Amino acid sequence: MTLSSFHSCFSLLIFIVYGLVFQVHELHSAPLKVMGPPGPVTVAVGKDAVLPCRFSPAQITQDMEVTWFREQLVPFVHHYKEGRDQSENQMLEYVGRTELWKDGLAKGSLNLKIFDVQLSDRGYYTCFVVNGSDYDEAVVELKVTASGSVPLVALERYQDGGIRVSCRSAGWYPRPQVLWRDPHGQHLPSLSESVTQDQSSLFAVESSIILTRGTKQNVSCWVRHVLDGQELGSEIYISAMRDAALRDRDAEIGDRDAEIEKQAQELGEYHSPSYMGDFSMKVVLDSDTAHRALVLSDDCRSVRQEGKLQDIPDNPKRFDLLCCVLGREGFTSGRCYWEVEVEDGEGWLLGVCREYVKRKGEIILKPEEGFWAVGQWKGRFQALTSPDCIFLSEIQTPKRIRVSLDYEKGRVSFFGVDENMPIFTFQETLFWRRTVYPWFWLGSGTLLKMCP
């Protein structure tokens, strides 16, 4: 090799080495970039949501810090620092409900999972990342939807030469569309429509239609979700109405009103709170969910609120503010009932709740939050309805209560066993296909016993 050739090879080697060093330098000095999804994330109420977030370059340092937050940095939705999750200053409504997918960190993924999404979770979330001296953020929008109850179609009264039929459905978000259809699927014009919104922002709709002369009319009411097009419908059959009777309505109105009253009575009996499931359930209380002031018997079949806090470990399942406890076994289908004896101290509540109800901090005991219950509370016997409680002043507070659950029908009924009388029924309850559990709250000195 000549000297000239050696110089050429050496120069080429220097150039390659310099290029590699320059590229490595550029890699290390590349600014941090955080990216969210191209559009909003849409999830149904009661489902789990995954909020996507990525960062590049995918290099993790020891002082890497990830914060998911909403309107302000603190309190936060989820915080990761020093290689682990940080729970201090987390928003109460997200305690035990979030998970950062740490397995994806090495690949640049910062996805956040939110369990049992509620309507209040909708809105914008910020994924804020600090890695070394660099920081960046991305915004993710979460849209939450809710499909409500199967429409309830009912005969109301005679009006304008026909029969007025109403259709009602609740628990929707966003506002749904109501459609009337004839037996051939053709749309029918409605007479009126009203829309209301409860405290949790869920929509309830009511629409009515007048059916005039015709033979063997079938009419169906459908409520449509405006985002995904999902529909829930119910059909009602109306006997033939003779033209002559319509022309001479006064002569026949008594008989027809009696027939409508009969049908309404049959519907009322079908939905009567005297309905009872055909399977007797033996409720065993779950000690892992019991507030520290609650003392369970050895067989976990009775519980007393003694006021003094026990030295027992906390866990995500345990209620930490309200003195509540759940049954050990939950339900996702079927019909059953159980009975409870009450020795009243300073009050009690009992019923059912959804699996992922809030268990830490202040809790709103309403159906839209996943609680369906009755009891003696604040000195009054009442049902925990929404937006306001219903006071059952005409009913003497029972000492033995039967709770009847029909999961498929979405019905929770309460009965006074000794009095042999119905107390209250929650109709068309929205379980969101989630497990529901027997639920109990005890005031100071109260003792509850599960009956055989």
Side-chain angles (χ1 to χ4, degrees), residues 175-176 193-197 203-206:
R175 174 178 172 170
E193 184 174 320
S194 64
V195 180
T196 58
Q197 204 169 5
F203 287 94
V205 292
E206 180 174 351

Side-chain angles (χ1 to χ4, degrees), residues 116-260:
D116 190 30
V117 167
Q118 302 300 308
L119 204 57
S120 57
D121 294 327
R122 70 189 188 279
Y124 293 91
Y125 293 74
T126 299
C127 175
F128 182 72
V129 182
V130 177
N131 195 10
S133 60
D134 258 347
Y135 63 90
D136 195 17
E137 64 182 36
V139 177
V140 182
E141 182 183 5
L142 175 61
K143 290 185 176 181
V144 181
T145 66
S147 295
S149 59
V150 174
L152 175 64
V153 182
L155 303 175
E156 288 194 339
R157 61 182 181 273
Y158 279 97
Q159 180 178 333
D160 300 332
I163 294 180
R164 183 184 178 114
V165 182
S166 67
C167 173
R168 304 179 183 90
S169 182
W172 295 84
Y173 194 89
R175 174 178 172 170
Q177 182 181 12
V178 182
L179 303 170
W180 290 95
R181 293 178 180 144
D182 65 15
H184 305 291
Q186 299 299 313
H187 293 297
L188 299 173
S190 63
L191 174 69
S192 65
E193 184 174 320
S194 64
V195 180
T196 58
Q197 204 169 5
D198 62 22
Q199 289 183 333
S200 63
S201 299
L202 292 172
F203 287 94
V205 292
E206 180 174 351
S207 179
S208 63
I209 192 173
I210 293 180
L211 298 181
T212 55
R213 63 181 62 113
T215 58
K216 295 186 181 300
Q217 295 190 48
N218 287 52
V219 63
S220 59
C221 174
W222 295 83
V223 183
R224 174 187 291 173
H225 202 296
V226 296
L227 292 183
D228 58 18
Q230 177 188 359
E231 292 184 349
L232 294 177
S234 294
E235 185 178 43
I236 192 168
Y237 174 81
I238 308 239
S239 300
M241 298 185 295
R242 294 170 297 172
D243 291 347
L246 286 173
R247 287 192 299 268
D248 192 13
R249 189 169 65 111
D250 290 340
E252 300 289 339
I253 192 169
D255 292 340
R256 291 185 188 153
D257 282 346
E259 178 64 21
I260 290 178

Side-chain angles (χ1 to χ4, degrees), residues 333-378:
S333 63
R335 303 186 305 226
C336 63
Y337 70 93
W338 57 92
E339 295 181 359
V340 184
E341 287 186 358
V342 178
E343 292 187 12
D344 197 5
E346 293 186 2
W348 52 271
L349 297 168
L350 57 86
V352 301
C353 73
R354 282 199 300 259
E355 179 178 9
Y356 291 115
V357 293
K358 185 178 178 182
R359 306 192 188 191
K360 308 296 183 182
E362 294 286 348
I363 302 174
I364 300 175
L365 301 177
K366 296 289 185 181
E368 57 265 28
E369 299 297 328
F371 297 90
W372 297 270
V374 302
Q376 186 76 14
W377 190 28
K378 297 182 179 178

Side-chain angles (χ1 to χ4, degrees), residues 7 39 57-58 81 100 113 116 150 157 175 322 341 413 429:
H7 283 167
K81 184 180 180 182
L100 186 70
K113 188 173 186 178
D116 190 30
V150 174
R157 61 182 181 273
R175 174 178 172 170
L322 291 186
E341 287 186 358
S413 302
T429 300

